[in-house]
Amino acid sequence: MLNHFSALINAPFGAIAISMQAGHLAVDLLAESPSKENQTSSDPLVNQTYQQIMQYLLQANTPFNLPPVMYGTVFQQRVWQAIASIPIGQTRSYGQLAEQLNSGPRAVANACGANRIPLIIPCHRVLAKNGLGGFMQGKKNGLNIKRWLLAHEGVYDYRKRSAYE
């Protein structure tokens, strides 16, 4: 369980931890909360992220309006930009993004896995060709969190499991 975070939001699926890591914003989705209380931060970017995530949890169609992320390889940044352009309530497959970027689905999946700010860059909206796909690099309960996020956005009934999972 995450021990180092600047802010914490208890969520229906567990919790969302927000921190600054090496000068960059990081958001971790947790299956269990390390605290019963939400915790805010005095860091302006962490606090802005906290406020926007709280609003998103209340109303899924709330867009994120945070400063751009400037870390990662050029390819990762291209993938993240494509993911960030997927509208709330819609999904794309790894293959569709790969075709859009003239790449391969595995490369897109690897860039998704390197995303340090899920929700802000909504990698939960990227699905496999024949099912839910991966999420959170296989961390425990990652797919349950992905189901919840998609259901929250009106995309997927998270209580159902597809035959492909």
Side-chain angles (χ1 to χ4, degrees):
M1 193 169 299
L2 187 68
N3 294 323
H4 304 287
F5 55 86
S6 301
L8 181 75
I9 299 170
N10 284 290
F13 56 78
I16 302 164
I18 308 164
S19 62
M20 295 298 291
Q21 297 177 1
H24 298 290
L25 184 66
V27 174
D28 289 296
L29 306 177
L30 309 172
E32 297 176 15
S33 181
S35 172
K36 292 182 181 187
E37 302 292 324
N38 286 351
Q39 298 174 23
T40 60
S41 172
S42 60
D43 181 284
L45 181 56
V46 171
N47 190 49
Q48 183 181 11
T49 304
Y50 176 95
Q51 297 300 328
Q52 289 187 26
I53 290 173
M54 289 291 288
Q55 188 60 39
Y56 168 82
L57 290 173
L58 293 172
Q59 191 171 1
N61 65 352
T62 302
F64 289 97
N65 181 21
L66 295 164
V69 177
M70 298 310 241
Y71 67 94
T73 67
V74 171
F75 178 74
Q76 287 171 335
Q77 289 181 38
R78 287 181 53 224
V79 172
W80 297 337
Q81 185 175 28
I83 293 169
S85 72
I86 301 170
I88 295 168
Q90 295 184 27
T91 61
R92 301 290 183 274
S93 71
Y94 295 104
Q96 287 172 315
L97 288 175
E99 185 175 316
Q100 176 184 332
L101 298 167
N102 295 317
S103 182
R106 285 186 190 207
V108 169
N110 287 336
C112 285
N115 176 14
R116 295 296 301 137
I117 53 171
L119 296 183
I120 313 309
I121 298 173
C123 52
H124 61 277
R125 295 181 193 151
V126 183
L127 308 176
K129 180 179 175 182
N130 294 316
L132 194 57
F135 192 60
M136 295 175 45
Q137 297 180 323
K139 289 181 185 170
K140 183 179 178 184
N141 291 319
L143 291 180
N144 288 333
I145 293 171
K146 184 173 187 172
R147 283 185 196 93
W148 188 91
L149 293 169
L150 292 171
H152 180 59
E153 295 182 2
V155 175
Y156 186 84
D157 182 352
Y158 74 97
R159 291 173 290 268
K160 293 183 181 177
R161 291 181 181 254
S162 111
Y164 301 102
E165 296 172 26

